[in-house]
PDB file of all heavy atoms in Angstrom:
ATOM      1  N   ALA A   1      12.205   2.490  -0.487  1.00  0.00           N
ATOM      2  CA  ALA A   1      11.990   1.824   0.786  1.00  0.00           C
ATOM      3  C   ALA A   1      11.247   2.721   1.767  1.00  0.00           C
ATOM      4  O   ALA A   1      10.236   2.196   2.423  1.00  0.00           O
ATOM      5  CB  ALA A   1      13.349   1.442   1.339  1.00  0.00           C
ATOM      6  N   LEU A   2      11.586   3.930   1.875  1.00  0.00           N
ATOM      7  CA  LEU A   2      10.886   4.775   2.793  1.00  0.00           C
ATOM      8  C   LEU A   2       9.408   5.124   2.398  1.00  0.00           C
ATOM      9  O   LEU A   2       8.489   4.989   3.177  1.00  0.00           O
ATOM     10  CB  LEU A   2      11.689   6.090   2.987  1.00  0.00           C
ATOM     11  CG  LEU A   2      13.141   5.996   3.650  1.00  0.00           C
ATOM     12  CD1 LEU A   2      13.749   7.345   3.681  1.00  0.00           C
ATOM     13  CD2 LEU A   2      12.990   5.450   5.022  1.00  0.00           C
ATOM     14  N   TRP A   3       9.268   5.550   1.167  1.00  0.00           N
ATOM     15  CA  TRP A   3       7.932   5.758   0.601  1.00  0.00           C
ATOM     16  C   TRP A   3       7.051   4.536   0.622  1.00  0.00           C
ATOM     17  O   TRP A   3       5.857   4.665   1.163  1.00  0.00           O
ATOM     18  CB  TRP A   3       8.105   6.253  -0.788  1.00  0.00           C
ATOM     19  CG  TRP A   3       6.764   6.462  -1.547  1.00  0.00           C
ATOM     20  CD1 TRP A   3       5.830   7.403  -1.315  1.00  0.00           C
ATOM     21  CD2 TRP A   3       6.251   5.532  -2.570  1.00  0.00           C
ATOM     22  NE1 TRP A   3       4.725   7.238  -2.275  1.00  0.00           N
ATOM     23  CE2 TRP A   3       4.942   6.119  -2.987  1.00  0.00           C
ATOM     24  CE3 TRP A   3       6.771   4.472  -3.221  1.00  0.00           C
ATOM     25  CZ2 TRP A   3       4.134   5.465  -3.958  1.00  0.00           C
ATOM     26  CZ3 TRP A   3       5.914   3.881  -4.242  1.00  0.00           C
ATOM     27  CH2 TRP A   3       4.641   4.412  -4.503  1.00  0.00           C
ATOM     28  N   GLY A   4       7.532   3.458   0.247  1.00  0.00           N
ATOM     29  CA  GLY A   4       6.678   2.195   0.321  1.00  0.00           C
ATOM     30  C   GLY A   4       6.350   1.745   1.643  1.00  0.00           C
ATOM     31  O   GLY A   4       5.270   1.330   1.888  1.00  0.00           O
ATOM     32  N   ALA A   5       7.307   1.887   2.633  1.00  0.00           N
ATOM     33  CA  ALA A   5       7.062   1.546   3.999  1.00  0.00           C
ATOM     34  C   ALA A   5       5.970   2.380   4.544  1.00  0.00           C
ATOM     35  O   ALA A   5       5.025   1.836   5.320  1.00  0.00           O
ATOM     36  CB  ALA A   5       8.402   1.517   4.803  1.00  0.00           C
ATOM     37  N   ASP A   6       6.049   3.615   4.387  1.00  0.00           N
ATOM     38  CA  ASP A   6       5.013   4.524   4.969  1.00  0.00           C
ATOM     39  C   ASP A   6       3.666   4.287   4.298  1.00  0.00           C
ATOM     40  O   ASP A   6       2.679   4.240   5.030  1.00  0.00           O
ATOM     41  CB  ASP A   6       5.525   6.061   4.828  1.00  0.00           C
ATOM     42  CG  ASP A   6       4.463   6.981   5.384  1.00  0.00           C
ATOM     43  OD1 ASP A   6       4.290   7.010   6.557  1.00  0.00           O
ATOM     44  OD2 ASP A   6       3.843   7.709   4.638  1.00  0.00           O
ATOM     45  N   LEU A   7       3.686   4.052   3.091  1.00  0.00           N
ATOM     46  CA  LEU A   7       2.444   3.840   2.292  1.00  0.00           C
ATOM     47  C   LEU A   7       1.757   2.523   2.740  1.00  0.00           C
ATOM     48  O   LEU A   7       0.534   2.589   3.114  1.00  0.00           O
ATOM     49  CB  LEU A   7       2.733   3.641   0.840  1.00  0.00           C
ATOM     50  CG  LEU A   7       1.540   3.478  -0.094  1.00  0.00           C
ATOM     51  CD1 LEU A   7       0.561   4.675  -0.159  1.00  0.00           C
ATOM     52  CD2 LEU A   7       1.987   3.081  -1.553  1.00  0.00           C
ATOM     53  N   LEU A   8       2.456   1.532   2.941  1.00  0.00           N
ATOM     54  CA  LEU A   8       1.865   0.229   3.329  1.00  0.00           C
ATOM     55  C   LEU A   8       1.485   0.158   4.853  1.00  0.00           C
ATOM     56  O   LEU A   8       0.540  -0.406   5.238  1.00  0.00           O
ATOM     57  CB  LEU A   8       2.851  -0.903   3.109  1.00  0.00           C
ATOM     58  CG  LEU A   8       3.165  -1.249   1.620  1.00  0.00           C
ATOM     59  CD1 LEU A   8       4.156  -2.404   1.448  1.00  0.00           C
ATOM     60  CD2 LEU A   8       1.858  -1.593   0.828  1.00  0.00           C
ATOM     61  N   ALA A   9       2.291   1.028   5.630  1.00  0.00           N
ATOM     62  CA  ALA A   9       1.952   1.151   7.031  1.00  0.00           C
ATOM     63  C   ALA A   9       0.683   1.846   7.205  1.00  0.00           C
ATOM     64  O   ALA A   9      -0.211   1.507   8.092  1.00  0.00           O
ATOM     65  CB  ALA A   9       3.096   1.831   7.750  1.00  0.00           C
ATOM     66  N   ARG A  10       0.464   2.874   6.410  1.00  0.00           N
ATOM     67  CA  ARG A  10      -0.820   3.609   6.507  1.00  0.00           C
ATOM     68  C   ARG A  10      -1.970   2.714   6.132  1.00  0.00           C
ATOM     69  O   ARG A  10      -3.020   2.730   6.686  1.00  0.00           O
ATOM     70  CB  ARG A  10      -0.783   4.831   5.659  1.00  0.00           C
ATOM     71  CG  ARG A  10       0.200   5.871   6.195  1.00  0.00           C
ATOM     72  CD  ARG A  10       0.220   7.107   5.217  1.00  0.00           C
ATOM     73  NE  ARG A  10       1.252   8.004   5.571  1.00  0.00           N
ATOM     74  CZ  ARG A  10       1.045   9.012   6.470  1.00  0.00           C
ATOM     75  NH1 ARG A  10      -0.137   9.226   7.057  1.00  0.00           N
ATOM     76  NH2 ARG A  10       2.055   9.831   6.815  1.00  0.00           N
ATOM     77  N   ARG A  11      -1.788   1.877   5.072  1.00  0.00           N
ATOM     78  CA  ARG A  11      -2.833   0.976   4.556  1.00  0.00           C
ATOM     79  C   ARG A  11      -3.114  -0.104   5.598  1.00  0.00           C
ATOM     80  O   ARG A  11      -4.262  -0.474   5.888  1.00  0.00           O
ATOM     81  CB  ARG A  11      -2.490   0.298   3.323  1.00  0.00           C
ATOM     82  CG  ARG A  11      -2.240   1.292   2.151  1.00  0.00           C
ATOM     83  CD  ARG A  11      -3.579   1.833   1.595  1.00  0.00           C
ATOM     84  NE  ARG A  11      -3.396   2.839   0.580  1.00  0.00           N
ATOM     85  CZ  ARG A  11      -3.313   2.559  -0.762  1.00  0.00           C
ATOM     86  NH1 ARG A  11      -3.362   1.371  -1.114  1.00  0.00           N
ATOM     87  NH2 ARG A  11      -3.234   3.441  -1.644  1.00  0.00           N
ATOM     88  N   ALA A  12      -2.081  -0.519   6.366  1.00  0.00           N
ATOM     89  CA  ALA A  12      -2.261  -1.592   7.271  1.00  0.00           C
ATOM     90  C   ALA A  12      -3.022  -1.086   8.491  1.00  0.00           C
ATOM     91  O   ALA A  12      -3.859  -1.779   9.084  1.00  0.00           O
ATOM     92  CB  ALA A  12      -0.943  -2.222   7.741  1.00  0.00           C
ATOM     93  N   ARG A  13      -2.795   0.120   8.959  1.00  0.00           N
ATOM     94  CA  ARG A  13      -3.415   0.777  10.008  1.00  0.00           C
ATOM     95  C   ARG A  13      -4.939   1.039   9.775  1.00  0.00           C
ATOM     96  O   ARG A  13      -5.833   0.951  10.609  1.00  0.00           O
ATOM     97  CB  ARG A  13      -2.830   2.060  10.495  1.00  0.00           C
ATOM     98  CG  ARG A  13      -1.475   1.944  11.207  1.00  0.00           C
ATOM     99  CD  ARG A  13      -1.170   3.134  12.030  1.00  0.00           C
ATOM    100  NE  ARG A  13      -1.133   4.358  11.128  1.00  0.00           N
ATOM    101  CZ  ARG A  13      -0.005   4.675  10.505  1.00  0.00           C
ATOM    102  NH1 ARG A  13       1.249   4.027  10.778  1.00  0.00           N
ATOM    103  NH2 ARG A  13       0.092   5.812   9.779  1.00  0.00           N
ATOM    104  N   GLN A  14      -5.214   1.213   8.440  1.00  0.00           N
ATOM    105  CA  GLN A  14      -6.647   1.363   8.134  1.00  0.00           C
ATOM    106  C   GLN A  14      -7.364   0.073   7.771  1.00  0.00           C
ATOM    107  O   GLN A  14      -8.587   0.146   7.420  1.00  0.00           O
ATOM    108  CB  GLN A  14      -6.704   2.301   6.835  1.00  0.00           C
ATOM    109  CG  GLN A  14      -6.141   3.724   6.999  1.00  0.00           C
ATOM    110  CD  GLN A  14      -5.989   4.503   5.765  1.00  0.00           C
ATOM    111  OE1 GLN A  14      -6.274   4.005   4.691  1.00  0.00           O
ATOM    112  NE2 GLN A  14      -5.561   5.736   5.899  1.00  0.00           N
ATOM    113  N   GLY A  15      -6.576  -1.024   7.894  1.00  0.00           N
ATOM    114  CA  GLY A  15      -7.219  -2.334   7.661  1.00  0.00           C
ATOM    115  C   GLY A  15      -7.330  -2.679   6.208  1.00  0.00           C
ATOM    116  O   GLY A  15      -7.894  -3.685   5.887  1.00  0.00           O
ATOM    117  N   ARG A  16      -6.669  -1.947   5.319  1.00  0.00           N
ATOM    118  CA  ARG A  16      -6.751  -2.178   3.934  1.00  0.00           C
ATOM    119  C   ARG A  16      -5.430  -2.904   3.504  1.00  0.00           C
ATOM    120  O   ARG A  16      -4.488  -2.343   2.983  1.00  0.00           O
ATOM    121  CB  ARG A  16      -6.884  -0.913   3.088  1.00  0.00           C
ATOM    122  CG  ARG A  16      -8.255  -0.167   3.374  1.00  0.00           C
ATOM    123  CD  ARG A  16      -8.371   1.045   2.488  1.00  0.00           C
ATOM    124  NE  ARG A  16      -7.329   2.032   2.772  1.00  0.00           N
ATOM    125  CZ  ARG A  16      -7.074   3.051   1.942  1.00  0.00           C
ATOM    126  NH1 ARG A  16      -7.826   3.265   0.785  1.00  0.00           N
ATOM    127  NH2 ARG A  16      -6.200   3.928   2.263  1.00  0.00           N
ATOM    128  N   ILE A  17      -5.438  -4.168   3.728  1.00  0.00           N
ATOM    129  CA  ILE A  17      -4.231  -4.939   3.446  1.00  0.00           C
ATOM    130  C   ILE A  17      -4.450  -6.071   2.347  1.00  0.00           C
ATOM    131  O   ILE A  17      -3.747  -7.034   2.347  1.00  0.00           O
ATOM    132  CB  ILE A  17      -3.548  -5.571   4.689  1.00  0.00           C
ATOM    133  CG1 ILE A  17      -4.657  -6.457   5.417  1.00  0.00           C
ATOM    134  CG2 ILE A  17      -3.041  -4.552   5.566  1.00  0.00           C
ATOM    135  CD1 ILE A  17      -4.092  -7.184   6.559  1.00  0.00           C
ATOM    136  N   GLU A  18      -5.559  -5.870   1.622  1.00  0.00           N
ATOM    137  CA  GLU A  18      -5.719  -6.815   0.509  1.00  0.00           C
ATOM    138  C   GLU A  18      -4.713  -6.590  -0.610  1.00  0.00           C
ATOM    139  O   GLU A  18      -4.227  -5.429  -0.713  1.00  0.00           O
ATOM    140  CB  GLU A  18      -7.207  -6.736  -0.098  1.00  0.00           C
ATOM    141  CG  GLU A  18      -8.279  -7.130   0.925  1.00  0.00           C
ATOM    142  CD  GLU A  18      -9.627  -7.006   0.293  1.00  0.00           C
ATOM    143  OE1 GLU A  18      -9.724  -6.663  -0.940  1.00  0.00           O
ATOM    144  OE2 GLU A  18     -10.607  -7.318   1.072  1.00  0.00           O
ATOM    145  N   TRP A  19      -4.476  -7.477  -1.430  1.00  0.00           N
ATOM    146  CA  TRP A  19      -3.300  -7.388  -2.274  1.00  0.00           C
ATOM    147  C   TRP A  19      -3.535  -6.281  -3.335  1.00  0.00           C
ATOM    148  O   TRP A  19      -2.564  -5.644  -3.720  1.00  0.00           O
ATOM    149  CB  TRP A  19      -3.022  -8.747  -3.031  1.00  0.00           C
ATOM    150  CG  TRP A  19      -4.068  -9.215  -4.022  1.00  0.00           C
ATOM    151  CD1 TRP A  19      -5.196  -9.847  -3.795  1.00  0.00           C
ATOM    152  CD2 TRP A  19      -4.061  -8.863  -5.428  1.00  0.00           C
ATOM    153  NE1 TRP A  19      -5.868 -10.017  -5.000  1.00  0.00           N
ATOM    154  CE2 TRP A  19      -5.187  -9.383  -6.020  1.00  0.00           C
ATOM    155  CE3 TRP A  19      -3.157  -8.184  -6.219  1.00  0.00           C
ATOM    156  CZ2 TRP A  19      -5.486  -9.385  -7.319  1.00  0.00           C
ATOM    157  CZ3 TRP A  19      -3.455  -8.163  -7.609  1.00  0.00           C
ATOM    158  CH2 TRP A  19      -4.623  -8.693  -8.137  1.00  0.00           C
ATOM    159  N   ARG A  20      -4.726  -6.048  -3.758  1.00  0.00           N
ATOM    160  CA  ARG A  20      -4.942  -4.881  -4.664  1.00  0.00           C
ATOM    161  C   ARG A  20      -4.638  -3.630  -4.121  1.00  0.00           C
ATOM    162  O   ARG A  20      -4.049  -2.728  -4.767  1.00  0.00           O
ATOM    163  CB  ARG A  20      -6.381  -4.975  -5.337  1.00  0.00           C
ATOM    164  CG  ARG A  20      -6.726  -6.158  -6.141  1.00  0.00           C
ATOM    165  CD  ARG A  20      -8.183  -6.081  -6.656  1.00  0.00           C
ATOM    166  NE  ARG A  20      -8.517  -7.213  -7.488  1.00  0.00           N
ATOM    167  CZ  ARG A  20      -8.965  -8.390  -7.111  1.00  0.00           C
ATOM    168  NH1 ARG A  20      -9.111  -8.606  -5.705  1.00  0.00           N
ATOM    169  NH2 ARG A  20      -9.225  -9.374  -7.932  1.00  0.00           N
ATOM    170  N   GLN A  21      -5.059  -3.444  -2.865  1.00  0.00           N
ATOM    171  CA  GLN A  21      -4.843  -2.173  -2.144  1.00  0.00           C
ATOM    172  C   GLN A  21      -3.300  -1.992  -1.749  1.00  0.00           C
ATOM    173  O   GLN A  21      -2.821  -0.920  -1.621  1.00  0.00           O
ATOM    174  CB  GLN A  21      -5.666  -2.037  -0.936  1.00  0.00           C
ATOM    175  CG  GLN A  21      -7.210  -2.025  -1.250  1.00  0.00           C
ATOM    176  CD  GLN A  21      -7.973  -2.308  -0.120  1.00  0.00           C
ATOM    177  OE1 GLN A  21      -7.629  -2.747   0.967  1.00  0.00           O
ATOM    178  NE2 GLN A  21      -9.307  -2.022  -0.313  1.00  0.00           N
ATOM    179  N   MET A  22      -2.589  -3.086  -1.654  1.00  0.00           N
ATOM    180  CA  MET A  22      -1.188  -3.038  -1.299  1.00  0.00           C
ATOM    181  C   MET A  22      -0.329  -2.706  -2.485  1.00  0.00           C
ATOM    182  O   MET A  22       0.633  -2.054  -2.448  1.00  0.00           O
ATOM    183  CB  MET A  22      -0.791  -4.353  -0.678  1.00  0.00           C
ATOM    184  CG  MET A  22      -1.219  -4.630   0.706  1.00  0.00           C
ATOM    185  SD  MET A  22      -0.342  -6.018   1.574  1.00  0.00           S
ATOM    186  CE  MET A  22      -0.676  -7.348   0.394  1.00  0.00           C
ATOM    187  N   LEU A  23      -0.680  -3.208  -3.647  1.00  0.00           N
ATOM    188  CA  LEU A  23       0.006  -3.018  -4.808  1.00  0.00           C
ATOM    189  C   LEU A  23      -0.119  -1.743  -5.487  1.00  0.00           C
ATOM    190  O   LEU A  23       0.792  -1.333  -6.325  1.00  0.00           O
ATOM    191  CB  LEU A  23      -0.306  -4.200  -5.844  1.00  0.00           C
ATOM    192  CG  LEU A  23       0.006  -5.609  -5.384  1.00  0.00           C
ATOM    193  CD1 LEU A  23      -0.274  -6.576  -6.441  1.00  0.00           C
ATOM    194  CD2 LEU A  23       1.490  -5.745  -4.969  1.00  0.00           C
ATOM    195  N   ILE A  24      -1.285  -1.118  -5.263  1.00  0.00           N
ATOM    196  CA  ILE A  24      -1.423   0.179  -5.923  1.00  0.00           C
ATOM    197  C   ILE A  24      -1.457   1.310  -4.831  1.00  0.00           C
ATOM    198  O   ILE A  24      -2.236   1.226  -3.839  1.00  0.00           O
ATOM    199  CB  ILE A  24      -2.754   0.172  -6.624  1.00  0.00           C
ATOM    200  CG1 ILE A  24      -2.745  -0.825  -7.739  1.00  0.00           C
ATOM    201  CG2 ILE A  24      -3.090   1.621  -7.301  1.00  0.00           C
ATOM    202  CD1 ILE A  24      -4.045  -1.014  -8.434  1.00  0.00           C
ATOM    203  N   PRO A  25      -0.632   2.364  -4.928  1.00  0.00           N
ATOM    204  CA  PRO A  25       0.249   2.699  -5.942  1.00  0.00           C
ATOM    205  C   PRO A  25       1.670   2.196  -5.862  1.00  0.00           C
ATOM    206  O   PRO A  25       2.582   2.745  -6.512  1.00  0.00           O
ATOM    207  CB  PRO A  25       0.222   4.132  -5.961  1.00  0.00           C
ATOM    208  CG  PRO A  25       0.182   4.456  -4.506  1.00  0.00           C
ATOM    209  CD  PRO A  25      -0.695   3.403  -3.910  1.00  0.00           C
ATOM    210  N   LEU A  26       1.931   1.179  -4.985  1.00  0.00           N
ATOM    211  CA  LEU A  26       3.349   0.660  -4.851  1.00  0.00           C
ATOM    212  C   LEU A  26       3.887   0.170  -6.076  1.00  0.00           C
ATOM    213  O   LEU A  26       5.065   0.446  -6.458  1.00  0.00           O
ATOM    214  CB  LEU A  26       3.338  -0.327  -3.754  1.00  0.00           C
ATOM    215  CG  LEU A  26       4.744  -0.855  -3.341  1.00  0.00           C
ATOM    216  CD1 LEU A  26       5.699   0.214  -2.939  1.00  0.00           C
ATOM    217  CD2 LEU A  26       4.663  -1.924  -2.348  1.00  0.00           C
ATOM    218  N   MET A  27       3.205  -0.765  -6.771  1.00  0.00           N
ATOM    219  CA  MET A  27       3.671  -1.328  -7.988  1.00  0.00           C
ATOM    220  C   MET A  27       3.908  -0.297  -9.136  1.00  0.00           C
ATOM    221  O   MET A  27       5.023  -0.281  -9.750  1.00  0.00           O
ATOM    222  CB  MET A  27       2.681  -2.451  -8.514  1.00  0.00           C
ATOM    223  CG  MET A  27       3.255  -3.110  -9.694  1.00  0.00           C
ATOM    224  SD  MET A  27       2.234  -4.436 -10.359  1.00  0.00           S
ATOM    225  CE  MET A  27       2.620  -5.736  -9.160  1.00  0.00           C
ATOM    226  N   PRO A  28       2.965   0.616  -9.395  1.00  0.00           N
ATOM    227  CA  PRO A  28       3.291   1.613 -10.482  1.00  0.00           C
ATOM    228  C   PRO A  28       4.521   2.515 -10.073  1.00  0.00           C
ATOM    229  O   PRO A  28       5.319   2.871 -10.984  1.00  0.00           O
ATOM    230  CB  PRO A  28       2.066   2.504 -10.522  1.00  0.00           C
ATOM    231  CG  PRO A  28       0.991   1.573 -10.014  1.00  0.00           C
ATOM    232  CD  PRO A  28       1.570   0.681  -8.943  1.00  0.00           C
ATOM    233  N   GLY A  29       4.688   2.848  -8.782  1.00  0.00           N
ATOM    234  CA  GLY A  29       5.842   3.589  -8.353  1.00  0.00           C
ATOM    235  C   GLY A  29       7.157   2.932  -8.624  1.00  0.00           C
ATOM    236  O   GLY A  29       8.132   3.376  -9.127  1.00  0.00           O
ATOM    237  N   THR A  30       7.145   1.578  -8.187  1.00  0.00           N
ATOM    238  CA  THR A  30       8.312   0.671  -8.519  1.00  0.00           C
ATOM    239  C   THR A  30       8.557   0.568  -9.942  1.00  0.00           C
ATOM    240  O   THR A  30       9.770   0.570 -10.445  1.00  0.00           O
ATOM    241  CB  THR A  30       8.082  -0.610  -7.811  1.00  0.00           C
ATOM    242  OG1 THR A  30       7.872  -0.501  -6.445  1.00  0.00           O
ATOM    243  CG2 THR A  30       9.375  -1.535  -7.938  1.00  0.00           C
TER     244      THR A  30
END
């Protein structure tokens, strides 16, 4: 939860919120 939240928050601030950029590396980590 903590690692994924920080990872996605950084991607969202950079404007990279397309599904491919959201799932990697979140999906492999999960």
